[in-house]
Amino acid sequence: SILSADSDHDIDEFRRISLLATMSEPNRFILSPEEHERQTKEDVVHTLRQSVVVAARSLFTETPQKLVAIGSLKPIYVKKRSHYAEIGSMYVDPEHRRQGLGGSILERLIHEANQRNLAALELYVTSPNSDAICLYEKFGFSTYGKLPAALCVDGEYIDGEYMVRLLQGIKS
């Protein structure tokens, strides 16, 4: 489902799962848990209004409608790059991995991009995240650049990769 900036439940769940993602896997996200904790409700509303955030909800937990996976499509608002959007915030709760949720969310984000007549999608992923890289490659993304020492987490440098997927018959 697509999250709504008008739903307190969606706002709270987006905040919860984003914080969970950065706490459980700090080497995979640009923001730290502390930066996520400092985000206000207004910050989250702004994010949800700027982006299309697709989520998978669990029907089989003690908390119905709990988000277990998310991904976002953020348009680029610079005129010369407005044919692009960024895929971001991809996360699947470890208890729900290997069930196709990441692929389903990515597929929906690509569909949303096509509906908006976008020409290309880009994303950033940390190089050690080989499962995510394999998923993105399966959906037609390819690496176009590497950023050595892209992140520094607790004194450890982590490389990153930029990936792109051209849409709607666009050729480079």
Side-chain angles (χ1 to χ4, degrees), residues 72-168:
S72 68
L73 176 73
K74 181 181 178 186
I76 297 176
Y77 292 107
V78 176
K79 185 174 182 173
K80 290 181 181 179
R81 297 215 353 110
S82 62
H83 58 291
Y84 262 81
E86 298 172 351
I87 298 284
S89 303
M90 289 290 295
Y91 177 74
V92 178
D93 183 289
E95 292 179 21
H96 296 86
R97 291 185 183 162
R98 306 272 181 232
Q99 298 174 25
L101 294 176
S104 294
I105 286 176
L106 193 53
E107 187 171 44
R108 176 68 185 269
L109 293 171
I110 292 167
H111 172 77
E112 293 293 329
N114 281 319
Q115 293 294 110
R116 289 163 173 71
N117 294 315
L118 295 171
L121 297 172
E122 63 185 25
L123 60 84
Y124 167 83
V125 61
T126 55
S127 297
N129 193 350
S130 58
D131 288 344
I133 292 168
C134 286
L135 175 69
Y136 298 140
E137 288 173 341
K138 178 180 171 185
F139 280 86
F141 286 84
S142 58
T143 297
Y144 69 88
K146 296 191 181 231
L147 187 59
L151 302 179
C152 182
V153 180
D154 298 328
E156 176 189 351
Y157 292 99
I158 302 159
D159 295 344
E161 296 184 25
Y162 290 99
M163 300 183 81
V164 66
R165 176 184 164 165
L166 300 176
L167 303 171
Q168 306 199 24

